[in-house]
């Protein structure tokens, strides 16, 4: 197990995960010690999202077998699909900056899917602004 000083200097790393029924996915994680990791991006194969604390068992080949979400993130995750031009919008860029400044995060997956990880205090306002943006890209 890592010592507290190791945890303070731990860096995110990419790890290969195995999910039932045998699907695999590479994810960016922050090792927290033992079999505990914090996700630094969302899984597309499991119900594990950005900043969830998860338990995973190391297999002999170095793959991590997902066991469970130990502590869900306190961020609300919402998603929407945008056209390519929507991602180039200055208004969307400003919204994403606002989310990051508030302690949230965002991810673009599969080219056109936007995942937003929102602090509770920002959720309503951000979703309202997102609705306006998607109606008038």
């Amino acid at each position: 197990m890592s010592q507290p000083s190791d945890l303070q200097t731990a860096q995110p790393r990419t790890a290969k995960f195995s999910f039932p029924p045998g699907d695999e996915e590479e994810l960016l994680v922050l090792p927290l010690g033992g079999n505990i990791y914090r996700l630094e991006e969302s899984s597309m194969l499991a119900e594990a999202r950005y900043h969830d604390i998860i338990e995973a068992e190391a297999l002999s080949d170095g793959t991590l077998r997902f066991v469970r979400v130990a502590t869900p993130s306190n961020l609300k995750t919402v998603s929407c699909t945008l056209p390519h031009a929507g991602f180039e919008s200055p208004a969307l860029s400003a919204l994403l900056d606002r989310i990051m400044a508030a302690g949230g995060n965002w991810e673009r997956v599969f080219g056109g899917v936007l995942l937003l990880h929102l602090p509770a205090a920002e959720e309503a306002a951000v979703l309202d602004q997102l609705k306006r943006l998607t109606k008038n890209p």
Side-chain angles (χ1 to χ4, degrees):
M1 178 178 274
S2 298
Q3 299 300 315
S5 60
D6 294 339
L7 294 178
Q8 292 172 357
T9 60
Q11 295 294 314
R13 67 176 179 90
T14 300
K16 184 167 76 171
F17 279 84
S18 172
F19 297 94
D23 296 324
E24 293 184 345
E25 176 180 30
E26 286 194 358
L27 294 169
L28 187 63
V29 296
L30 179 67
L32 298 178
N35 291 341
I36 305 298
Y37 302 85
R38 184 178 75 192
L39 290 178
E40 297 300 312
E41 63 184 338
S42 297
S43 171
M44 295 296 108
L45 299 176
E47 291 297 319
R49 300 290 175 246
Y50 172 78
H51 270 205
D52 284 349
I53 306 297
I54 64 165
E55 180 181 354
E57 176 184 81
L59 303 178
S60 60
D61 67 355
T63 299
L64 296 174
R65 184 182 63 79
F66 177 82
V67 175
R68 67 187 177 100
V69 173
T71 306
S73 168
N74 62 355
L75 300 171
K76 166 84 173 178
T77 299
V78 296
S79 65
C80 68
T81 304
L82 294 176
H84 179 72
F87 282 97
E88 297 174 358
S89 159
L92 179 62
S93 181
L95 177 61
L96 299 178
D97 289 346
R98 173 184 177 175
I99 292 167
M100 296 295 290
N105 200 8
W106 61 274
E107 300 174 78
R108 182 178 180 178
V109 295
F110 303 126
V113 177
L114 179 63
L115 298 177
L116 301 176
H117 308 288
L118 307 171
E122 292 289 316
E123 182 181 353
V126 167
L127 292 178
D128 184 55
Q129 190 174 351
L130 182 62
K131 285 178 189 174
R132 288 193 309 269
L133 283 173
T134 56
K135 287 181 182 177
N136 303 308

